[in-house]
Amino acid sequence: MDKFIAGKTIKKMIKAGKMIKDVQILMLGIIFKEDCPDIRNTWVVDIIAVFDENGTVVDVFDPCVDVAEVKDEYQIDITADPFKAGKKYDAIKGLFSVILTVLIFWHTPAI
């Protein structure tokens, strides 16, 4: 799933004319359980790893997690507030967009 999600995102950025190296990506959320700060078994870190392998710059924003725990467990820094920083992103991914991407892919007839 992680390679599929990251791969679809990277392909869309290439199609849009973006150079993948140093592309800025914002991941909205690292947890996948609603209203629960539990970071165990999150597959979002695998998606981030694939983006990292491709030379992209990934910021992660999740106001529900313990920042120190995420840093200790996954060596990932949580961005305090990416919207106040005024940073521009080439792609924004979140759990909802990941689910939407999968649903569209699975329900789109082959061309």
Side-chain angles (χ1 to χ4, degrees):
M1 181 66 79
D2 53 334
K3 290 181 182 173
F4 171 77
I5 300 293
K8 292 293 274 185
T9 304
I10 289 169
K11 284 179 185 175
K12 286 184 182 231
M13 287 189 292
I14 291 170
K15 193 172 185 177
K18 299 283 184 187
M19 297 296 293
I20 296 306
K21 184 158 174 53
D22 300 326
V23 160
Q24 304 287 317
I25 298 175
L26 174 62
M27 287 293 299
L28 297 174
I30 196 164
I31 57 173
F32 59 93
K33 299 172 189 168
E34 184 177 352
D35 298 326
C36 177
D38 186 0
I39 63 169
R40 294 175 296 164
N41 302 320
T42 178
W43 44 269
V44 176
V45 295
D46 298 326
I47 295 171
I48 294 168
V50 174
F51 284 138
D52 285 343
E53 289 169 8
N54 284 280
T56 63
V57 177
V58 180
D59 287 345
V60 181
F61 175 68
D62 194 327
C64 297
V65 297
D66 180 330
V67 174
E69 183 181 8
V70 173
K71 179 69 173 178
D72 184 52
E73 183 71 26
Y74 298 112
Q75 294 73 49
I76 294 174
D77 293 316
I78 300 295
T79 302
D81 190 342
F83 306 108
K84 284 186 180 177
K87 189 172 181 180
K88 295 189 188 255
Y89 293 97
D90 299 296
I92 298 176
K93 297 300 281 181
L95 184 57
F96 177 73
S97 63
V98 166
I99 292 169
L100 189 60
T101 301
V102 171
L103 290 175
I104 289 171
F105 180 77
W106 282 342
H107 291 88
T108 302
I111 298 176

